[in-house]
Amino acid sequence: QVQLVESGGGSVQVGGSLRLSCVASSRISRATVMGWYRQNSGEQRELVADINGGGFAKYADSVKGRFTISRDNAKSTIYLQMDSLKPEDTGVYYCHARPTWVVNGWWGQGTQVTVSS
């Protein structure tokens, strides 16, 4: 089973930036889709962005133009650069890894992001 550890969360003011990192316990293959999800209190977890082995990424409409996802297979790491942060970006951000041949994949424990005005 793959273990994922997130870091880089914190508290920032509106318009600020954060860079999240997620390190996997084993090599990230090109057959593994990696992504970032977030969850606000009392709400369901939602996709923020994901990226496949070919480097193709997709984003939630709410973060397009502000967030950038990337991956470094040599370091078994994915990143989420978050710029122009808004209060609605607040939540716990979770890393997710899923080989294309499985349904559920694996989750990290999450890192808190708080954006205040």
Side-chain angles (χ1 to χ4, degrees):
Q1 183 175 3
V2 175
Q3 292 180 311
L4 305 169
V5 180
E6 303 97 332
S7 63
S11 297
V12 298
Q13 291 187 316
V14 170
S17 297
L18 287 171
R19 185 175 177 85
L20 307 183
S21 299
C22 170
V23 180
S25 61
S26 60
R27 182 181 63 86
I28 300 174
S29 75
R30 293 186 64 186
T32 299
V33 179
M34 305 289 295
W36 290 96
Y37 292 70
R38 69 186 179 193
Q39 185 172 18
N40 289 317
S41 296
E43 300 180 2
Q44 290 190 309
R45 195 170 300 181
E46 64 177 0
L47 174 69
V48 176
D50 63 18
I51 184 167
N52 69 13
F56 297 103
K58 67 173 185 285
Y59 300 88
D61 288 341
S62 61
V63 307
K64 286 181 179 177
R66 299 188 298 118
F67 291 10
T68 303
I69 189 171
S70 60
R71 63 191 284 164
D72 186 336
N73 291 333
K75 296 182 178 180
S76 299
T77 302
I78 65 166
Y79 306 92
L80 185 68
Q81 178 67 43
M82 305 186 294
D83 298 318
S84 301
L85 284 162
K86 304 175 180 179
E88 50 263 45
D89 295 319
T90 294
V92 178
Y93 283 68
Y94 298 91
C95 183
H96 185 254
R98 183 180 65 82
T100 56
W101 61 88
V102 304
V103 175
N104 294 325
W106 302 277
W107 294 98
Q109 291 299 305
T111 184
Q112 177 71 45
V113 171
T114 302
V115 184
S116 62
S117 60

